[in-house]
Amino acid sequence: QVQLQQSGAELVKPGSSVKISCKASGYTFTSYDMHWIKQQPGNGLEWIGWIYPGNGNTKYNQKFNGKATLTADKSSSTAYLQLTSLTSEDSAVYFCAREDYYSSFPSGFAYWGQGTLVTVSS
Amino acid sequence: NTVMTQSPTSMFTSVGDRVTMSCKASQNVGINVGWYQQKKGQSPKRLIYWASNRDTGVPDRFTGSGSGTDFTLTISNMQAEDPAIYYCLQHNSYPWTFGGGTKLELK
C-alpha cells in the first residue's frame, strides 16, 4: 500500500533554514509527482509546488519562489522540502501528497503524509 | 490565480440531516475539482475527485456535483463521524488553490 512517511517536528530559529523529508513506499517513486502543501495553525491549505522524481522537474507556486526548494532522492525514494530565511510566517504544518491520475489525467491527491510541524521561534 | 470561495464557512447540523456546501471558482476550472475532509489533527482525506467521482471506500452519502465555476458537496445523511473541515481544491491551472474550508459541526 502507498505510504508517505514524513520527518519529525522541527523547532528552528528565525533566519535559519530547515529541510523536511517525505519517504515514499508502496509504489514506483519516480512515476508520480510529489506535491507539498502548507497549513498554518487554524488556517486553510496552500499549495507550494511539485517535483517529478523521475527527472527532477519542478513547478512552484510563485508565492514560494525563493522560499521553498523541492528535491528528490531516487535511491531512497525520498522527497524533500527545504525552506530558507525562516520567519514566524513559515510556522506551519507541511504535508507531502502524491498526485494521482485517472486515464492519464491528474485527479488531485489520494495519498498524504502525516504532516511535519515547523515552528520558527527564537 | 483561481480563487476558490467556499460557503458557508461553518455550519451546525444534526445526525441524519442532509448537508450541502458550496465551492465557487473565480474562473472556469472544468471538472478539475476535488473535495477533501480534514478531521482535527489529521491529514486531509480525498472524498471526491473530478467534481463527482467518489473515492474508493468513501460512503455513498457523500456526493459531489458541478462543473465550470460552481461545485457542491452533499452529505445525504449526516453521521456522527462526519464533523470535520471540508476543502475544495482546483487543479485546473497553476497555482493549484484550495478553498478556505467549511467547518461542519454537530449541534
Side-chain angles (χ1 to χ4, degrees):
Chain A
Q1 73 282 22
V2 175
Q3 289 191 325
L4 302 176
Q5 183 64 40
Q6 296 187 228
S7 49
E10 300 269 5
L11 173 60
V12 292
K13 294 193 182 317
S16 68
S17 299
V18 69
K19 191 172 186 178
I20 60 181
S21 65
C22 171
K23 183 171 176 58
S25 61
Y27 72 97
T28 303
F29 178 65
T30 52
S31 296
Y32 293 83
D33 292 341
M34 187 72 79
H35 294 241
W36 290 86
I37 294 103
K38 176 183 181 181
Q39 186 168 40
Q40 289 178 292
N43 281 8
L45 301 160
E46 196 168 18
W47 178 77
I48 296 171
W50 58 253
I51 183 167
Y52 182 65
N55 58 16
N57 282 358
T58 55
K59 178 73 174 179
Y60 292 93
N61 182 338
Q62 268 194 306
K63 178 178 177 180
F64 292 91
N65 279 346
K67 170 63 65 178
T69 302
L70 304 183
T71 57
D73 177 4
K74 289 189 280 190
S75 67
S76 63
S77 296
T78 303
Y80 297 93
L81 165 66
Q82 181 166 354
L83 302 167
T84 58
S85 303
L86 292 165
T87 72
S88 59
E89 284 301 301
D90 299 313
S91 292
V93 175
Y94 292 86
F95 294 99
C96 59
R98 196 198 81 173
E99 186 171 337
D100 251 21
Y101 302 89
Y102 286 96
S103 303
S104 301
F105 291 98
S107 65
F109 312 124
Y111 302 100
W112 294 68
Q114 81 275 24
T116 296
L117 175 63
V118 173
T119 304
V120 182
S121 174
S122 54
Chain B
N1 295 355
T2 302
V3 177
M4 304 295 282
T5 302
Q6 289 189 243
S7 61
T9 54
S10 66
M11 59 191 303
F12 286 87
T13 187
S14 301
V15 171
D17 280 356
R18 180 183 178 88
V19 175
T20 299
M21 61 190 76
S22 167
C23 178
K24 292 187 184 295
S26 62
Q27 55 191 289
N28 188 344
V29 295
I31 59 167
N32 295 302
V33 167
W35 287 94
Y36 295 78
Q37 175 194 63
Q38 188 178 31
K39 297 181 179 179
K40 194 171 179 63
Q42 297 184 16
S43 306
K45 172 189 174 183
R46 192 178 68 185
L47 303 176
I48 302 288
Y49 64 93
W50 288 349
S52 61
N53 293 268
R54 201 176 295 116
D55 268 281
T56 302
V58 173
D60 60 7
R61 64 179 180 273
F62 292 93
T63 302
S65 63
S67 66
T69 59
D70 292 328
F71 301 87
T72 300
L73 177 68
T74 300
I75 308 173
S76 61
N77 177 15
M78 179 75 179
Q79 296 298 299
E81 62 266 30
D82 297 338
I85 302 177
Y86 292 82
Y87 295 97
C88 58
L89 163 70
Q90 72 81 18
H91 52 88
N92 184 69
S93 63
Y94 292 116
W96 290 13
T97 46
F98 291 87
T102 291
K103 186 175 184 178
L104 185 58
E105 298 176 276
L106 282 174
K107 289 178 186 171

